[in-house]
Amino acid sequence: MPELPEVETTRRGIAPVLEGRRITRVAVRERRLRWRLPAGFEAALEGSQVRAVTRRAKYLLIGTDRGTLIVHLGMSGSLRVVSPALAPKLHDHVDLLLDSGRCLRFNDPRRFGSLHAVAGDPLAHPLLRALGPEPLSAAFDAAYLHTRTRRRRVAIKQLLMNASIVVGVGNIYASEALFRAGVRPQRAAGRLSRAEAAGIVTAVRRVLGAAIKVGGTTLRDYVNADGMPGYFRQKLYVYERAGQPCRVCRTTIRQRVQGQRSTYWCPTCQR
DNA sequence: ATGGGCACCTGGCTGC
DNA sequence: TGCAGCCAGGTGCCCA
C-alpha cells in the first residue's frame, strides 16, 4: 500500500490518540510478519508511555519512555484506532491497548509489514541507518539529485524509488512526479540535465505534498486511522490509466514494466 | 559500486 | 462453478 503520503496521513491520525498515553497491553494474534515478532515483543512495550509519533521514510516511529516501536505498513498494512470491544477481523494481527480505553489495531493481509520494538536511537537501526534524505526536506534539492544521478545507467523512475537516493517515493508517486516533470520514466538517470533534475525535485515535492493534503491515495487496501480512504486517486494523471486519454493532451497513456513494477507515462507530455 | 531478479504473502480479477 | 494465471501503494537479499 502506502507510500510517504499514506504513512504521513496515518501518523497524523494516530499521533493525537497515542501521545501521552500508556500502553497497557499488547495483544498479538499473528507473529509471522515480514520479520517474526520475537518472544519479548509484548513485554518490551507493555507499561511504556508514548512520547511522540514521528516518521522516517515509510517507517512510523512510536517513541516511548522505554524505546521505540518501528512500524512499516508494507504493501497492504494499515493502522486504525478502534474500540477494544470491536471484534478483530481477518488479518488484524496486533493490538496496542491504551490507558485511555482506545486500541491501535494493525491489519496487514499480505504480511509484508513489520513491527520492531527497539531500545536506543531508532535511526541507528539497520533498516533505517542507510536511508537517503526525506523528499520534503531541504537536503533533497536539484544539486543533490543531479549529483546522485551522475554515471548512473538506471532509469530515472527506478532511481527515484531507490530509498538510498531519496525515501518515500513508491510506484504511484514515481510515475506521477515524472509526468508532472515532463520526463519519461525510462530515461537514463545519468543523462538528465541539471534543469531536468530540478524539475523532478519540484514535482516530487509537489505531488507528495498535494497527496498528503487529501489523505493519500487509496487503490485497494489503504485506510487512515479512522478507516477512511485517501482521495488523491482522483488527481492521478497516469497511474493505472493505461489506454485512457492523457488528462492534458488526450494522447493514450502507456504502460510498461520497469524493474518488475508497472510504469505509466504520456508519450507526448513526457520527453 | 551497480544493476537485475527473486522472495516474502494474500486476495481480487480475468479468462478458459 | 472452478481453477489457473496474473497483478497489486515495498524492500531485503543474493548474484553477476
Side-chain angles (χ1 to χ4, degrees):
Chain A
M1 142 254 134
E3 303 184 36
L4 189 146
E6 294 75 38
V7 178
E8 177 61 20
T9 299
T10 298
R11 189 195 69 75
R12 292 179 184 188
I14 67 174
V17 177
L18 288 178
E19 285 170 3
R21 309 277 35 137
R22 203 167 285 282
I23 298 170
T24 53
R25 200 168 77 81
V26 178
V28 176
R29 285 174 287 272
E30 175 58 81
R31 310 192 85 82
R32 296 172 304 161
L33 304 181
R34 170 108 202 235
W35 285 281
R36 169 174 269 276
L37 297 182
F41 177 78
E42 294 92 328
L45 295 166
E46 284 175 349
S48 67
Q49 186 176 23
V50 178
R51 291 255 161 85
V53 182
T54 56
R55 179 189 57 73
R56 173 73 174 108
K58 296 171 191 166
Y59 293 94
L60 285 165
L61 309 178
I62 301 176
T64 78
D65 55 354
R66 296 222 313 260
T68 303
L69 174 61
I70 303 175
V71 182
H72 197 292
L73 299 174
M75 288 278 264
S76 58
S78 58
L79 282 173
R80 291 184 60 180
V81 176
V82 300
S83 159
L86 182 67
K89 298 196 174 66
L90 190 64
H91 306 309
D92 281 342
H93 303 315
V94 178
D95 283 354
L96 297 192
L97 286 305
L98 306 173
D99 63 358
S100 58
R102 310 239 63 196
C103 170
L104 184 71
R105 183 162 283 174
F106 175 74
N107 178 285
D108 186 7
R110 293 177 73 180
R111 289 189 273 123
F112 287 176
S114 64
L115 303 176
H116 291 273
V118 303
D121 179 9
L123 300 180
H125 188 278
L127 293 173
L128 310 198
R129 203 165 39 202
L131 293 172
E134 289 287 326
L136 299 176
S137 74
F140 182 62
D141 63 11
Y144 169 82
L145 183 62
H146 191 249
T147 300
R148 293 299 304 268
T149 55
R150 292 310 86 185
R151 288 178 300 288
R152 295 295 299 261
R153 304 213 260 222
V154 270
I156 180 60
K157 193 240 185 180
Q158 287 166 266
L159 183 125
L160 280 180
M161 291 175 65
N162 179 342
S164 67
I165 304 288
V166 60
V167 300
V169 184
N171 206 35
I172 297 178
Y173 299 110
S175 280
E176 291 297 316
L178 289 169
F179 174 84
R180 286 161 174 78
V183 174
R184 290 201 186 197
Q186 51 271 59
R187 288 273 303 282
R191 304 220 148 175
L192 294 173
S193 68
R194 175 68 174 258
E196 286 170 326
I200 290 168
V201 166
T202 301
V204 165
R205 304 171 85 112
R206 285 199 183 143
V207 76
L208 294 178
I212 290 170
K213 273 197 181 151
V214 296
T217 301
T218 295
L219 298 171
R220 285 161 274 273
D221 300 298
Y222 175 72
V223 288
N224 68 15
D226 300 317
M228 299 297 291
Y231 297 103
F232 197 70
R233 188 173 196 176
Q234 301 157 231
K235 307 244 171 105
L236 298 178
Y237 280 92
V238 291
Y239 190 80
E240 286 197 336
R241 294 198 66 246
Q244 298 177 51
C246 174
R247 290 171 52 191
V248 172
C249 75
R250 316 313 291 171
T251 301
T252 302
I253 299 299
R254 298 191 54 186
Q255 174 195 2
R256 64 168 286 193
V257 174
Q258 283 182 291
Q260 298 140 205
R261 313 297 301 277
S262 279
T263 297
Y264 302 86
W265 80 100
C266 170
T268 300
C269 293
Q270 294 170 261
R271 295 289 160 180

